[in-house]
Amino acid sequence: MRISEKRMLKLTNELKKVHIKYKTNIQLSSLTTIHVGGLASIILEPENSSQLYEAVYIAEKFGFQFKVIGNGSNLIISDTNIDFLPIINKKGQWEVIDTSPRSRNIKSKFSQNDSNSDKIFENGKDVIVQADSGIRLTQFATELYQKKIFGLEHFAGIHSTIGGAVYKNIHGMNKLFSDIIESVTILDNSKIRIISREKLNFDYDYSFLQDTNQILLSANLRLKQGDITELKKLRAKWIQQKTPQPQKSAGCIFQNLTKEQQDNLNLPTQSIGYFIDQKLNLKGKIIGGAKISENHAEFIENIGDATSNDIHSLIKFIQNESEQKYKIKLALKVELAGKFK
Ligand SMILES: Cc1cc2nc3c(=O)[nH]c(=O)nc-3n(C[C@H](O)[C@H](O)[C@H](O)COP(=O)(O)OP(=O)(O)OC[C@H]3O[C@@H](n4cnc5c(N)ncnc54)[C@H](O)[C@@H]3O)c2cc1C
């Protein structure tokens, strides 16, 4: 996004007034896990949810189209034509706000029981923790342990902020992130609203944030406080299991097949990785610096200096193969931001 010198000066003066940090001329590739993304003339770096509110307010006041970016772990940003003002929301604070909440079961129909691990989670008492949307889950889990609080273990090893986790309704092991949400505070057309979980529209891979321009400021999470010894071990084990996944990636590229598609193809699983590997035979396929992972065919990894177009071309290639061979349209799970050919 091109910003005239005069406008940039006005913008930076405004940011300084409210102590919001910013950086100029930043390659967004340094802020995405797949390491692609072009030059942004300025990025804003709020440090908590109130600064995020201010940052959005200023962006809107200047008439900029903006995008809140968390840890950049689900984004493929174009190498050129960045047409938005990036608000990098990777910091925040958290606090315990209720130590004796009314008990309730908020497990969703998508979550499955896992008797091996579920028992460990039965110990401890419920607590409600309010967390800014910029907090990163890995750091958050470690900080929670210092207060003997647990409940994020299922999402161990996912490089997400709270904002990204709610936006995508991430899933880890047998749980969805929405399972632990009590309520959220959002910014909706310059108004702050608190919405309880019952009124939020969550689904597998889906949250209401995907269809609105609302920004998540913070979330109240129902976690547990108690003995963390076994939980720590479980978390370490689950992180270990995720480590072989290609880290220089944007996670799983496509959504899994539907039950109907699985049945039609007579496959043992809905896994998109299985489909790409066993039916399309595309494991290891390379375009430029982008490769379909040998270990996890649902991931595209940056094996060197991939451009955003290398990745985009590989995505289109997989989609074409799927449509031509099986008439299946593969829906993206990652998000493309900026301009692609
Ligand atoms: C190696 C690897 C493994 C992964 N494993 C998993 C997994 O097991 N399960 C899983 O579900 N996902 C997984 N992912 C995908 C990814 O980590 C998640 O989708 C994650 O939630 C993205 O969070 P983020 O903070 O990086 O969001 P970003 O990628 O920065 O943003 C994603 C979207 O969220 C929006 N957003 C972010 N913050 C806010 C906010 N405060 N308000 C409104 N919108 C916001 C952004 O605008 C963007 O549209 C994996 C990714 C990688 C690289």
Side-chain angles (χ1 to χ4, degrees):
M1 192 164 65
R2 289 179 73 90
I3 305 176
S4 70
E5 247 179 66
K6 203 171 150 196
R7 226 162 155 232
M8 184 68 103
L9 192 63
K10 271 190 171 175
L11 173 63
T12 51
N13 281 340
E14 190 94 11
L15 293 169
K16 280 176 194 157
K17 267 192 230 158
V18 287
H19 308 290
I20 293 180
K21 290 187 180 154
Y22 63 87
K23 288 194 185 108
T24 52
N25 296 324
I26 292 294
Q27 287 292 341
L28 295 180
S29 53
S30 63
L31 297 168
T32 60
T33 52
I34 197 161
H35 295 254
V36 298
L39 188 71
S41 43
I42 184 165
I43 61 169
L44 314 193
E45 296 181 311
E47 302 211 317
N48 51 44
S49 61
S50 44
Q51 283 208 345
L52 175 60
Y53 173 90
E54 294 279 0
V56 170
Y57 174 80
I58 291 173
E60 283 176 341
K61 185 172 150 187
F62 277 76
F64 290 129
Q65 202 189 328
F66 65 90
K67 181 154 192 68
V68 175
I69 296 177
N71 212 28
S73 64
N74 206 229
L75 285 176
I76 295 165
I77 301 179
S78 61
D79 291 328
T80 52
N81 296 320
I82 305 300
D83 54 359
F84 54 85
L85 173 70
I87 299 180
I88 310 298
N89 185 43
K90 281 166 77 159
K91 287 188 177 158
Q93 284 103 38
W94 63 272
E95 61 175 327
V96 177
I97 57 163
D98 194 348
T99 50
S100 50
R102 261 192 307 151
S103 66
R104 61 179 179 152
N105 184 3
I106 54 173
K107 205 166 174 181
S108 77
K109 61 182 173 178
F110 301 100
S111 301
Q112 295 142 23
N113 290 325
D114 173 2
S115 51
N116 288 334
S117 65
D118 281 356
K119 271 201 196 107
I120 309 178
F121 288 92
E122 281 162 17
N123 301 317
K125 61 171 187 127
D126 284 13
V127 287
I128 307 295
V129 174
Q130 184 171 67
D132 285 348
S133 60
I135 294 180
R136 281 176 284 178
L137 293 189
T138 36
Q139 170 204 341
F140 188 28
T142 311
E143 289 177 13
L144 286 168
Y145 280 162
Q146 285 161 11
K147 301 233 183 245
K148 298 200 181 329
I149 299 175
F150 58 91
L152 289 181
E153 289 67 23
H154 294 83
F155 315 105
I158 303 180
H159 310 284
S160 181
T161 57
I162 296 280
V166 174
Y167 184 94
K168 302 297 292 191
N169 195 13
I170 54 168
H171 36 90
M173 310 314 285
N174 60 341
K175 250 192 179 192
L176 299 184
F177 201 73
S178 51
D179 291 348
I180 59 168
I181 289 181
E182 194 70 7
S183 62
V184 294
T185 303
I186 52 154
L187 185 53
D188 180 12
N189 262 326
S190 314
K191 289 199 181 70
I192 294 179
R193 290 172 53 205
I194 299 172
I195 313 179
S196 66
R197 183 180 186 277
E198 295 75 30
K199 297 196 176 131
L200 298 171
N201 198 7
F202 282 111
D203 209 328
Y204 194 80
D205 278 340
Y206 176 81
S207 82
F208 61 101
L209 292 173
Q210 293 173 22
D211 289 332
T212 61
N213 287 325
Q214 296 163 344
I215 301 301
L216 186 89
L217 294 177
S218 65
N220 286 357
L221 307 175
R222 185 176 281 259
L223 302 173
K224 293 245 179 196
Q225 194 163 35
D227 185 357
I228 54 164
T229 324
E230 290 306 311
L231 277 309
K232 265 181 149 174
K233 284 188 207 156
L234 191 65
R235 178 163 175 253
K237 186 177 123 192
W238 284 347
I239 289 177
Q240 191 79 34
Q241 280 177 19
K242 277 190 78 66
T243 311
Q245 290 180 347
Q247 301 299 308
K248 217 172 156 186
S249 76
C252 193
I253 293 286
F254 300 108
Q255 289 174 7
N256 278 334
L257 299 179
T258 62
K259 185 80 182 70
E260 196 186 347
Q261 289 166 338
Q262 178 197 356
D263 291 344
N264 288 345
L265 292 172
N266 201 16
L267 299 182
T269 163
Q270 284 173 252
S271 157
I272 190 65
Y274 183 92
F275 176 70
I276 293 171
D277 175 12
Q278 298 290 319
K279 298 303 282 184
L280 300 180
N281 294 312
L282 289 178
K283 215 180 206 182
K285 165 87 185 163
I286 294 177
I287 294 184
K291 179 180 181 183
I292 301 175
S293 167
E294 300 273 1
N295 294 329
H296 299 272
E298 66 274 34
F299 287 71
I300 288 180
E301 55 185 321
N302 182 346
I303 51 168
D305 291 323
T307 63
S308 59
N309 280 330
D310 291 343
I311 294 161
H312 191 225
S313 302
L314 195 48
I315 289 174
K316 283 195 295 188
F317 183 82
I318 302 169
Q319 285 175 323
N320 283 341
E321 288 286 294
S322 170
E323 261 203 271
Q324 277 178 19
K325 291 189 174 147
Y326 299 102
K327 300 203 172 4
I328 291 181
K329 279 190 197 302
L330 297 181
L332 277 185
K333 189 163 166 160
V334 294
E335 188 182 323
L336 305 176
K339 290 232 160 64
F340 289 84
K341 279 184 215 152

